[in-house]
Amino acid sequence: MGADAVKRTSRDIRTANRYEVLRQIIARSPTSRQELAAATGLSLATVATLVGELLDLRMITEVGFEDSAGGRPRGLVAVDSAGGALIGVDIAETYVRVELFDLALNVLARADEDMRPGESRPEQVVGHVAAAVGSVVAQAGVEGARVLGVGVSVPGQVDRDTGIAEYAPNWDWHDVPLLDLLAEHIAHPLYLDNPLRACAVAELWFGAARGRGDAVVVNLGTGVGAGLALGGGLHRGVSNSAGEWGHTTLVLDGRLCHCGNHGCVETYVGAPGIMLNLRELSPRSPLLHPGDQTATIDALARGVAADDPVAVKVVRDTARYLGAAIADLVNLLNPEVVVLSSWVAATLGEPLLHEVRETVAQHALKRPYAATEIVLSPIPTDPVCLGAATFALEGALQSVGQRNHKRNAGSARSRTAPPS
Ligand SMILES: [Zn+2]
């Protein structure tokens, strides 16, 4: 919880508890108040109060009773999947993907927009997002008023409170007021964060980090970073910048990075870095699709499956860089699980995972390594959209807290768009 912990008020704690209870209901539906108390460590009285609030909000519903070994039958509650819709937006360097979810976080509609190189000006990106959000709402046939919020993930450093994308190295964005620009087109509450946070939350709620105390979610896309779920919660750092592991130095005086430094992890294991690994090994390789990251990574995956020696060597070289850098995370954080997430990890899959495990074993200290499992993300859909949608859910629960405790409503993270 980072800096938030310092200024936590009773209202924040109540919001966090409401969030935790809803998260457990989503994971366990249908479930009883007794089971929720056991799962969350909260008292039965507290759980009963929070369940009552969620029932009032129509986010959950009563669904009958279960026998309790001769005792009084226990009332069961479940997520009311029709109780509202959430939208998750994954703005990546090469595409915009938008998914609309019900309250049980099932995908109801999806829209994709490709972004060509050179299409990365803020107003172009905003245009793509607005079109895709309009498309999913229309496809799902959801009334606008039922959309509880839109979570937006954008690469780089973001200020969640002001909605500003402070720095996106791959696009050279500086201090772009992204949420204000989006609010001109989208009339739902908007919440901003980055893909490291989104992937970590998705794994924490629905993936390989569920029920784990300390997890690292390694995000391998065009950009590279680590989402940190420490002590069962998201670790943001004091200015929401924790996890910028992609810009730690792997090779002293190595390749030039967009961030201005040399030898960053990202320049060896991000999609453009992998393309460079291939080009340095075999400049004329037919696997190389200049200017097209997706096509090149796809070709490498097919090449490995067909035992193409160049593809095998490139994936092995990439895994050696990646494994050495992951060993740093293992030694530093002693996590229970390291999850390889995002599109490059999903495309290269098991062969990459296998090589990474071997390299981490060579570089990490024995004790933390023995306690760490390294896995591919088990989330079958886009984890960034899923995580972004949970930010919207979190925001909706927070704004309820603010409505109930108006005198304390100082730190609004959400914003409501002007009426259209
Ligand atoms: Zn860098």
Side-chain angles (χ1 to χ4, degrees):
M1 294 285 158
D4 290 357
V6 179
K7 55 186 178 196
R8 284 187 101 181
T9 63
S10 58
R11 176 178 55 83
D12 293 329
I13 292 167
R14 195 176 175 83
T15 297
N17 288 343
R18 192 186 293 118
Y19 186 44
E20 181 58 23
V21 166
L22 181 60
R23 170 172 146 180
Q24 292 294 340
I25 295 171
I26 289 172
R28 294 159 188 271
S29 275
T31 183
S32 66
R33 290 161 182 80
Q34 288 79 1
E35 201 181 37
L36 289 168
T40 58
L42 298 169
S43 74
L44 188 55
T46 301
V47 167
T49 304
L50 297 172
V51 164
E53 289 176 6
L54 293 169
L55 285 166
D56 289 345
L57 290 165
R58 293 173 47 212
M59 286 181 159
I60 63 172
T61 180
E62 305 265 15
V63 291
F65 295 90
E66 72 174 0
D67 289 335
S68 60
R72 277 173 51 194
R74 294 170 166 182
L76 293 174
V77 291
V79 174
D80 185 354
S81 51
L86 301 160
I87 294 176
V89 178
D90 174 8
I91 302 176
E93 284 84 352
T94 52
Y95 60 86
V96 169
R97 175 169 299 146
V98 175
E99 292 181 339
L100 184 143
F101 299 83
D102 66 18
L103 274 190
L105 278 305
N106 299 304
V107 179
L108 300 184
R110 176 179 296 130
D112 287 291
E113 302 257 322
D114 281 336
M115 284 202 290
R116 299 280 123 219
E119 274 192 357
S120 59
R121 280 186 294 120
E123 55 273 32
Q124 291 172 315
V125 172
V126 165
H128 282 303
V129 173
V133 167
S135 166
V136 293
V137 172
Q139 281 178 56
V142 177
E143 262 180 72
R146 299 307 299 155
V147 177
L148 299 179
V150 181
V152 179
S153 164
V154 68
Q157 312 271 288
V158 304
D159 185 322
R160 300 162 73 225
D161 293 329
T162 58
I164 289 174
E166 288 187 341
Y167 178 48
N170 283 306
W171 290 335
D172 205 26
W173 279 15
H174 296 271
D175 296 323
V176 172
L178 188 61
L179 284 200
D180 284 343
L181 294 173
L182 286 168
E184 290 172 16
H185 303 271
I186 298 171
H188 309 297
L190 290 158
Y191 306 92
L192 186 68
D193 215 317
N194 77 12
L196 304 184
R197 244 59 76 194
C199 283
V201 166
E203 295 298 333
L204 205 53
W205 278 57
F206 302 102
R210 229 175 100 177
R212 308 291 187 103
D214 297 286
V216 174
V217 182
V218 169
N219 199 301
L220 287 179
T222 303
V224 169
L228 307 175
L230 304 179
L234 206 53
H235 179 75
R236 296 180 178 281
V238 72
S239 65
N240 199 35
S241 303
E244 290 294 350
W245 160 80
H247 298 285
T248 55
T249 305
L250 178 61
V251 178
L252 212 53
D253 303 320
R255 293 175 182 170
L256 179 63
C257 183
H258 289 290
C259 75
N261 289 324
H262 286 265
C264 292
V265 170
E266 181 171 304
T267 62
Y268 296 88
V269 305
I274 297 173
M275 290 173 76
L276 195 48
N277 298 344
L278 170 57
R279 189 175 304 138
E280 286 181 355
L281 180 71
S282 175
R284 281 183 237 286
S285 171
L287 301 170
L288 192 61
H289 298 252
D292 193 336
Q293 300 174 21
T294 319
T296 305
I297 302 297
D298 283 346
L300 279 170
R302 282 195 306 272
V304 170
D307 269 331
D308 176 293
V310 171
V312 169
K313 177 87 165 59
V314 168
V315 170
R316 181 168 297 156
D317 290 349
T318 301
R320 290 188 68 232
Y321 289 121
L322 181 58
I326 288 176
D328 293 349
L329 293 171
V330 169
N331 286 353
L332 197 62
L333 299 166
N334 190 197
E336 266 182 273
V337 63
V338 175
V339 188
L340 305 187
S341 178
S342 197
W343 66 271
V344 170
T347 305
L348 296 178
E350 288 291 336
L352 178 75
L353 176 68
H354 176 76
E355 299 282 348
V356 164
R357 281 177 174 156
E358 291 206 341
T359 311
V360 176
Q362 287 164 18
H363 289 269
L365 290 172
K366 280 201 176 58
R367 186 174 168 82
Y369 176 71
T372 301
E373 203 187 342
I374 304 172
V375 300
L376 292 171
S377 171
I379 295 172
T381 55
D382 183 326
V384 178
C385 284
L386 182 60
T390 63
F391 294 139
L393 180 57
E394 198 176 17
L397 291 175
Q398 170 129 2
S399 62
V400 171
Q402 283 164 353
R403 259 181 273 139
N404 290 349
H405 301 263
K406 279 191 182 125
R407 274 176 305 162
N408 293 328
S411 67
R413 281 186 201 144
S414 63
R415 54 188 53 212
T416 305
S420 51

